[in-house]
Amino acid sequence: MTAERLLVFSVGRELFALNLTEVCEVMEPQQSYPFAGAPPYYLGLINFHGNLTALLDFAQYLGAGSRPLPGRLLVIDTKRAHLALKVDAVGSIIDAQGIIGATRSDDPLIEALLETTQGNLRLVRLETLLSSLEEDLRAAAPKPASGGN
């Protein structure tokens, strides 16, 4: 179920983790440029090593409201998506030995609730997050005009 190494990050008072192989870089915040028609939790696009990358306010996506903190950006592995998550802070990397216990979560976005030596974590199921974002973007896209010949 869990990866060998996890990257711990926080949003509000909650601790989350992603499989370390799913993250390619942790960055300082940078200027983003809005793109029309995106759901409100998208902060815009950033330039990540020459590639336009969507920037998601993870707190707002979770329904916790936008966070005024500068935070950090977790850039998802570019082989999987051109997506960065704005989070409040990035903690440390823990390995499997640091996981004391694990339980399944009823939340489809959360793969497991992990008890670790650093506290309780919510392991994010990246594939579910990406699928959900894709569906939201598709739903927010302008609809073609009907009628006409």
Side-chain angles (χ1 to χ4, degrees), residues 46-124:
I46 61 172
N47 180 347
F48 178 68
H49 300 293
N51 293 306
L52 290 177
T53 300
L55 176 59
L56 176 80
D57 184 333
F58 196 56
Q60 194 171 5
Y61 175 78
L62 295 173
S66 185
R67 313 287 297 168
L69 300 170
R72 295 286 184 269
L73 305 184
L74 298 179
V75 181
I76 301 302
D77 181 0
T78 56
K79 293 176 193 149
R80 305 181 111 190
H82 289 281
L83 177 69
L85 307 179
K86 178 184 174 278
V87 300
D88 290 353
V90 175
S92 59
I93 296 170
I94 61 171
D95 59 23
Q97 287 82 23
I99 299 172
I100 300 166
T103 57
R104 292 183 62 100
S105 170
D106 294 334
D107 183 341
L109 181 63
I110 304 301
E111 182 175 334
L113 304 171
L114 303 176
E115 183 181 346
T116 73
T117 55
Q118 297 184 15
N120 295 329
L121 310 175
R122 298 168 185 255
L123 178 61
V124 175

XYZ file of all heavy atoms in Angstrom, residues 46-124:
591
model
N 2.368 28.457 -14.084
C 3.725 28.885 -13.784
C 4.648 28.317 -14.862
O 4.286 27.377 -15.580
C 4.199 28.418 -12.383
C 4.208 26.881 -12.283
C 3.340 29.041 -11.295
C 4.851 26.342 -11.012
N 5.813 28.916 -14.946
C 6.828 28.420 -15.863
C 7.741 27.491 -15.072
O 8.495 27.931 -14.213
C 7.618 29.594 -16.449
C 8.688 29.135 -17.411
O 9.034 27.962 -17.503
N 9.241 30.089 -18.143
N 7.643 26.214 -15.343
C 8.489 25.244 -14.660
C 9.485 24.695 -15.678
O 9.138 23.878 -16.517
C 7.648 24.112 -14.053
C 8.479 23.059 -13.381
C 9.176 23.346 -12.222
C 8.576 21.783 -13.905
C 9.961 22.382 -11.605
C 9.356 20.818 -13.303
C 10.047 21.118 -12.148
N 10.684 25.200 -15.641
C 11.753 24.783 -16.551
C 11.285 24.815 -18.010
O 11.522 23.888 -18.783
C 12.275 23.386 -16.188
C 12.836 23.303 -14.800
N 13.984 23.965 -14.420
C 12.389 22.660 -13.701
C 14.228 23.708 -13.143
N 13.271 22.923 -12.679
N 10.570 25.894 -18.366
C 10.141 26.081 -19.742
C 8.814 25.432 -20.091
O 8.364 25.554 -21.227
N 8.183 24.764 -19.158
C 6.883 24.130 -19.407
C 5.801 24.840 -18.607
O 5.987 25.094 -17.407
C 6.909 22.653 -18.996
C 7.809 21.827 -19.865
O 7.677 21.839 -21.085
N 8.755 21.144 -19.255
N 4.689 25.144 -19.255
C 3.556 25.697 -18.528
C 2.992 24.618 -17.624
O 2.700 23.504 -18.065
C 2.484 26.190 -19.491
C 2.853 27.436 -20.296
C 1.745 27.791 -21.273
C 3.151 28.605 -19.372
N 2.871 24.971 -16.364
C 2.431 24.016 -15.351
C 1.305 24.639 -14.545
O 1.440 25.769 -14.063
C 3.622 23.650 -14.438
O 4.648 23.057 -15.260
C 3.227 22.686 -13.352
N 0.208 23.925 -14.426
C -0.933 24.430 -13.660
C -0.585 24.441 -12.174
O 0.026 23.499 -11.655
C -2.156 23.552 -13.904
N -0.975 25.536 -11.516
C -0.716 25.676 -10.080
C -2.040 25.587 -9.337
O -2.958 26.372 -9.569
C -0.031 27.020 -9.796
C 0.224 27.353 -8.334
C 1.104 26.284 -7.675
C 0.869 28.725 -8.219
N -2.111 24.634 -8.450
C -3.330 24.352 -7.691
C -3.135 24.757 -6.245
O -2.129 24.404 -5.620
C -3.618 22.836 -7.767
C -4.790 22.322 -6.972
C -6.081 22.591 -7.727
C -4.644 20.838 -6.709
N -4.092 25.512 -5.710
C -4.108 25.814 -4.269
C -4.729 24.593 -3.588
O -5.941 24.414 -3.599
C -4.929 27.080 -4.021
C -4.911 27.509 -2.566
O -4.739 26.642 -1.678
O -5.083 28.714 -2.323
N -3.875 23.755 -3.014
C -4.362 22.486 -2.476
C -5.342 22.700 -1.320
O -6.315 21.961 -1.189
C -3.175 21.618 -2.047
C -3.517 20.173 -1.828
C -4.115 19.416 -2.823
C -3.232 19.549 -0.627
C -4.440 18.085 -2.630
C -3.538 18.207 -0.417
C -4.146 17.481 -1.413
N -5.120 23.738 -0.520
C -6.039 24.023 0.591
C -7.425 24.365 0.058
O -8.438 23.866 0.561
C -5.504 25.161 1.450
N -7.458 25.200 -0.950
C -8.748 25.584 -1.520
C -9.415 24.381 -2.184
O -10.625 24.203 -2.092
C -8.561 26.729 -2.509
C -9.857 27.403 -2.878
C -9.643 28.674 -3.676
O -8.532 29.024 -4.032
N -10.709 29.362 -3.956
N -8.622 23.550 -2.840
C -9.180 22.350 -3.456
C -9.835 21.453 -2.392
O -10.881 20.867 -2.618
C -8.084 21.566 -4.195
C -8.570 20.262 -4.744
C -9.316 20.210 -5.916
C -8.303 19.068 -4.077
C -9.789 19.008 -6.407
C -8.767 17.860 -4.558
C -9.512 17.834 -5.723
O -9.980 16.636 -6.197
N -9.206 21.379 -1.226
C -9.735 20.545 -0.147
C -10.929 21.184 0.559
O -11.519 20.580 1.441
C -8.634 20.258 0.885
C -7.468 19.422 0.382
C -6.376 19.366 1.452
C -7.920 18.019 0.007
N -11.231 22.440 0.187
C -12.356 23.124 0.812
C -11.975 23.856 2.084
O -12.841 24.272 2.855
N -10.691 24.035 2.320
C -10.215 24.707 3.533
C -10.014 26.206 3.306
O -9.496 26.884 4.177
C -8.911 24.067 4.001
N -10.384 26.712 2.153
C -10.174 28.127 1.863
C -8.750 28.376 1.413
O -7.857 27.572 1.661
N -8.561 29.497 0.759
C -7.230 29.826 0.276
C -6.345 30.226 1.439
O -6.790 30.827 2.398
C -7.327 30.966 -0.735
O -6.065 31.215 -1.290
N -5.094 29.861 1.379
C -4.146 30.153 2.450
C -3.303 31.360 2.038
O -2.693 31.362 0.976
C -3.242 28.952 2.691
C -3.987 27.625 2.791
C -4.744 27.455 4.039
N -3.796 27.462 5.149
C -4.135 27.561 6.401
N -5.398 27.668 6.719
N -3.242 27.548 7.337
N -3.254 32.388 2.893
C -2.466 33.571 2.539
C -0.964 33.364 2.649
O -0.190 34.181 2.196
C -2.953 34.608 3.564
C -3.411 33.802 4.728
C -3.938 32.520 4.157
N -0.540 32.286 3.260
C 0.885 32.034 3.436
C 1.574 31.879 2.090
O 0.981 31.367 1.143
C 1.086 30.738 4.230
C 0.475 30.694 5.620
C 0.541 29.286 6.170
C 1.206 31.655 6.522
N 2.831 32.282 2.010
C 3.533 32.050 0.741
C 3.666 30.562 0.444
O 3.548 30.153 -0.692
C 4.891 32.710 0.944
C 5.019 32.981 2.397
C 3.653 32.961 2.989
N 3.884 29.761 1.457
C 3.928 28.316 1.282
C 5.060 27.831 0.402
O 6.066 28.518 0.202
N 4.866 26.635 -0.119
C 5.823 25.993 -1.015
C 5.038 25.356 -2.157
O 3.841 25.106 -2.043
C 6.605 24.890 -0.298
C 7.498 25.365 0.811
C 8.745 26.048 0.253
N 9.665 26.428 1.286
C 9.658 27.604 1.904
N 8.766 28.497 1.593
N 10.537 27.882 2.847
N 5.753 25.093 -3.244
C 5.136 24.424 -4.384
C 5.728 23.031 -4.517
O 6.952 22.873 -4.550
C 5.384 25.216 -5.669
C 4.960 26.675 -5.673
C 5.190 27.279 -7.051
C 3.521 26.855 -5.236
N 4.859 22.045 -4.586
C 5.277 20.673 -4.867
C 4.969 20.415 -6.328
O 3.803 20.393 -6.724
C 4.503 19.663 -4.013
C 4.651 19.736 -2.510
C 3.787 18.653 -1.855
C 6.091 19.561 -2.123
N 5.982 20.241 -7.118
C 5.766 19.978 -8.537
C 5.670 18.466 -8.717
O 6.581 17.719 -8.340
C 6.900 20.558 -9.398
C 6.626 20.300 -10.875
C 7.064 22.051 -9.128
N 4.554 18.064 -9.292
C 4.309 16.642 -9.530
C 5.214 16.167 -10.670
O 5.512 16.918 -11.596
C 2.812 16.422 -9.883
C 1.912 16.913 -8.740
C 2.528 14.961 -10.217
C 2.167 16.267 -7.397
N 5.622 14.920 -10.584
C 6.463 14.318 -11.624
C 5.881 14.650 -12.998
O 4.722 14.325 -13.286
C 6.518 12.814 -11.411
C 7.386 12.109 -12.426
O 7.962 12.763 -13.316
O 7.485 10.877 -12.326
N 6.682 15.295 -13.833
C 6.179 15.775 -15.125
C 5.811 14.643 -16.082
O 5.160 14.882 -17.087
C 7.197 16.710 -15.798
O 8.443 16.027 -15.927
C 7.378 17.971 -14.978
N 6.206 13.409 -15.781
C 5.769 12.278 -16.610
C 4.299 11.966 -16.340
O 3.633 11.324 -17.134
C 6.616 11.043 -16.311
C 8.053 11.195 -16.734
C 8.860 9.995 -16.318
C 10.335 10.316 -16.458
N 11.136 9.604 -15.489
N 3.793 12.421 -15.203
C 2.413 12.138 -14.821
C 1.485 13.310 -15.096
O 0.334 13.119 -15.452
C 2.343 11.774 -13.341
C 3.269 10.626 -13.021
C 3.177 10.262 -11.625
N 2.536 8.949 -11.629
C 2.093 8.356 -10.557
N 2.180 8.931 -9.415
N 1.552 7.168 -10.644
N 1.973 14.538 -14.875
C 1.133 15.726 -15.066
C 2.001 16.968 -15.025
O 3.093 16.943 -14.461
C 0.085 15.792 -13.957
N 1.496 18.026 -15.616
C 2.140 19.338 -15.480
C 1.331 20.082 -14.432
O 0.452 20.879 -14.747
C 2.182 20.068 -16.822
C 3.146 19.442 -17.773
N 4.493 19.664 -17.701
C 2.963 18.551 -18.767
C 5.104 18.956 -18.625
N 4.190 18.269 -19.289
N 1.629 19.774 -13.194
C 0.840 20.263 -12.066
C 1.745 20.528 -10.880
O 2.658 19.747 -10.585
C -0.212 19.201 -11.671
C -1.069 19.519 -10.464
C -2.032 20.666 -10.770
C -1.863 18.275 -10.043
N 1.504 21.656 -10.222
C 2.179 21.972 -8.963
C 1.110 22.237 -7.915
O 0.070 22.827 -8.209
C 3.071 23.198 -9.132
N 1.373 21.788 -6.705
C 0.453 22.005 -5.596
C 1.037 23.048 -4.671
O 2.175 22.899 -4.212
C 0.246 20.711 -4.790
C -0.178 19.461 -5.544
C -0.298 18.294 -4.565
C -1.485 19.691 -6.269
N 0.269 24.107 -4.380
C 0.689 25.067 -3.363
C 0.244 24.508 -2.026
O -0.940 24.204 -1.828
C 0.062 26.439 -3.594
C 0.441 27.447 -2.530
C -0.278 28.764 -2.753
C -0.018 29.714 -1.619
N -0.886 29.471 -0.471
N 1.200 24.314 -1.133
C 0.922 23.796 0.207
C 1.489 24.788 1.214
O 2.255 25.683 0.864
C 1.522 22.382 0.388
C 0.923 21.415 -0.633
C 3.043 22.394 0.299
N 1.144 24.636 2.471
C 1.622 25.573 3.490
C 3.104 25.384 3.783
O 3.841 26.352 3.897
C 0.831 25.406 4.781
C -0.600 25.903 4.630
O -0.927 26.491 3.578
O -1.392 25.690 5.567
N 3.513 24.157 3.943
C 4.912 23.879 4.282
C 5.259 22.461 3.860
O 4.380 21.600 3.733
C 5.144 24.036 5.780
N 6.526 22.246 3.645
C 7.017 20.906 3.323
C 7.887 20.449 4.475
O 8.759 21.203 4.943
C 7.814 20.902 2.000
C 8.417 19.533 1.732
C 6.910 21.323 0.850
N 7.606 19.261 4.950
C 8.345 18.721 6.090
C 9.524 17.899 5.634
O 10.345 18.343 4.829
N 9.548 16.704 6.074
C 10.693 15.852 5.807
C 10.282 14.660 4.946
O 9.127 14.509 4.570
C 11.283 15.359 7.126
O 10.293 14.640 7.839
N 11.246 13.842 4.690
C 11.004 12.579 3.986
C 11.061 11.477 5.036
O 11.992 11.442 5.850
C 12.073 12.354 2.905
C 11.965 13.447 1.840
C 11.946 10.958 2.294
C 13.107 13.467 0.851
N 10.068 10.617 5.023
C 10.095 9.492 5.953
C 10.124 8.205 5.143
O 9.612 8.138 4.036
C 8.896 9.493 6.937
C 7.562 9.391 6.203
C 8.935 10.732 7.807
C 6.395 9.165 7.134
N 10.718 7.204 5.714
C 10.747 5.911 5.034
C 9.760 4.958 5.703
O 9.128 5.300 6.705
C 12.160 5.333 4.986
C 12.761 5.126 6.362
O 12.003 5.002 7.340
O 13.992 5.081 6.443
N 9.632 3.792 5.151
C 8.638 2.823 5.620
C 8.833 2.463 7.093
O 7.857 2.170 7.791
C 8.673 1.577 4.758
N 10.045 2.514 7.581
C 10.279 2.177 8.989
C 9.657 3.214 9.929
O 9.430 2.918 11.103
C 11.775 2.065 9.277
C 12.429 0.817 8.717
C 12.793 0.980 7.236
O 12.948 2.095 6.750
N 12.909 -0.123 6.525
N 9.402 4.406 9.425
C 8.805 5.457 10.247
C 7.298 5.347 10.361
O 6.671 6.103 11.089
N 6.703 4.388 9.644
C 5.255 4.198 9.686
C 4.929 3.163 10.755
O 5.340 2.006 10.664
C 4.716 3.759 8.311
C 5.029 4.839 7.282
C 3.216 3.485 8.391
C 4.723 4.439 5.853
N 4.187 3.601 11.763
C 3.850 2.732 12.892
C 2.570 1.951 12.608
O 2.443 0.794 12.964
C 3.699 3.579 14.172
C 5.017 4.307 14.460
C 3.281 2.722 15.349
C 4.883 5.423 15.479
N 1.614 2.614 11.968
C 0.348 1.961 11.664
C -0.311 2.607 10.471
O -0.006 3.742 10.106
N -1.227 1.853 9.845
C -1.940 2.370 8.677
C -3.363 1.837 8.684
O -3.592 0.672 9.008
C -1.228 1.948 7.393
N -4.294 2.729 8.345
C -5.686 2.322 8.190
C -6.211 2.893 6.886
O -5.730 3.922 6.409
C -6.578 2.826 9.348
O -6.470 4.253 9.430
C -6.175 2.204 10.658
N -7.183 2.203 6.319
C -7.801 2.672 5.079
C -8.628 3.915 5.367
O -9.145 4.084 6.463
C -8.679 1.584 4.483
C -7.908 0.390 3.976
C -8.855 -0.606 3.330
N -9.529 -0.013 2.186
C -9.170 -0.223 0.920
N -8.194 -1.049 0.651
N -9.822 0.340 -0.067
N -8.762 4.730 4.357
C -9.563 5.939 4.484
C -10.826 5.790 3.657
O -10.817 5.166 2.600
C -8.751 7.137 3.981
O -9.572 8.274 3.883
N -11.909 6.385 4.132
C -13.151 6.404 3.361
C -13.126 7.485 2.283
O -13.942 7.475 1.379
C -14.346 6.653 4.293
C -14.567 5.503 5.256
O -14.181 4.356 4.922
O -15.119 5.752 6.348
N -12.190 8.418 2.417
C -12.052 9.497 1.446
C -11.316 8.956 0.221
O -10.187 8.472 0.336
C -11.252 10.642 2.090
C -11.110 11.854 1.193
O -11.296 11.744 -0.036
O -10.789 12.931 1.735
N -11.922 9.036 -0.964
C -11.251 8.484 -2.151
C -9.930 9.171 -2.489
O -9.077 8.580 -3.138
C -12.268 8.683 -3.275
C -13.326 9.558 -2.744
C -13.232 9.580 -1.259
N -9.749 10.409 -2.039
C -8.505 11.133 -2.301
C -7.363 10.649 -1.405
O -6.203 10.820 -1.725
C -8.720 12.641 -2.098
C -7.536 13.544 -2.355
C -7.113 13.460 -3.831
C -7.857 14.974 -1.979
N -7.715 10.016 -0.308
C -6.717 9.593 0.673
C -6.563 8.078 0.620
O -7.511 7.336 0.877
C -7.117 10.055 2.095
C -7.339 11.571 2.125
C -6.072 9.611 3.116
C -6.131 12.405 1.715
N -5.358 7.650 0.291
C -5.097 6.210 0.190
C -5.094 5.543 1.557
O -5.614 4.453 1.730
C -3.755 5.978 -0.500
C -3.424 4.519 -0.696
C -2.151 4.321 -1.494
O -1.793 5.213 -2.282
O -1.525 3.283 -1.319
N -4.503 6.214 2.537
C -4.417 5.627 3.874
C -4.177 6.715 4.902
O -3.653 7.782 4.587
C -3.285 4.610 3.924
N -4.571 6.418 6.112
C -4.244 7.258 7.258
C -3.069 6.583 7.943
O -3.175 5.420 8.356
C -5.442 7.376 8.195
C -6.731 7.900 7.539
C -7.911 7.773 8.493
C -6.559 9.341 7.093
N -1.970 7.302 8.023
C -0.741 6.696 8.522
C -0.369 7.278 9.881
O -0.380 8.499 10.069
C 0.406 6.948 7.546
C 0.195 6.466 6.118
C 1.384 6.869 5.248
C -0.015 4.971 6.084
N -0.040 6.405 10.773
C 0.514 6.826 12.056
C 2.024 6.707 11.921
O 2.534 5.624 11.607
C -0.016 5.935 13.174
C 0.446 6.341 14.537
C -0.088 5.406 15.613
O -1.007 4.609 15.336
O 0.444 5.468 16.722
N 2.714 7.809 12.131
C 4.166 7.792 11.962
C 4.837 8.400 13.187
O 4.166 8.962 14.060
C 4.601 8.614 10.719
O 4.462 10.011 11.006
C 3.793 8.242 9.497
N 6.134 8.316 13.182
C 6.889 8.915 14.277
C 6.798 10.432 14.244
O 7.102 11.088 15.234
C 8.370 8.480 14.196
O 8.868 8.812 12.894
C 8.516 6.988 14.429
N 6.355 11.000 13.123
C 6.223 12.457 13.001
C 4.788 12.933 13.169
O 4.513 14.115 13.011
C 6.758 12.907 11.645
C 8.226 12.610 11.490
C 8.760 13.145 10.188
O 8.133 13.958 9.531
N 9.940 12.699 9.827
N 3.873 12.036 13.415
C 2.470 12.389 13.571
C 1.612 11.618 12.588
O 2.105 10.764 11.847
N 0.334 11.912 12.605
C -0.599 11.233 11.711
C -0.640 11.937 10.364
O -0.744 13.161 10.302
C -1.988 11.198 12.331
C -2.006 10.361 13.590
O -1.253 9.396 13.721
N -2.843 10.727 14.535
N -0.543 11.153 9.297
C -0.495 11.672 7.932
C -1.641 11.123 7.113
O -2.122 10.017 7.361
C 0.797 11.244 7.236
C 2.124 11.449 7.923
C 3.239 10.835 7.081
C 2.369 12.922 8.138
N -2.002 11.884 6.103
C -2.973 11.423 5.109
C -2.186 11.209 3.818
O -1.666 12.179 3.260
C -4.068 12.464 4.896
C -4.881 12.735 6.129
C -5.748 13.971 5.919
N -6.426 14.302 7.130
C -7.734 14.078 7.333
N -8.457 13.593 6.357
N -8.285 14.372 8.471
N -2.118 9.989 3.385
C -1.389 9.671 2.161
C -2.296 9.944 0.966
O -3.345 9.305 0.800
C -0.933 8.207 2.173
C -0.187 7.727 0.930
C 1.097 8.535 0.716
C 0.130 6.237 1.060
N -1.912 10.918 0.156
C -2.732 11.343 -0.988
C -2.616 10.318 -2.107
O -1.516 9.868 -2.448
C -2.287 12.735 -1.484
C -3.052 13.138 -2.738
C -2.460 13.772 -0.383
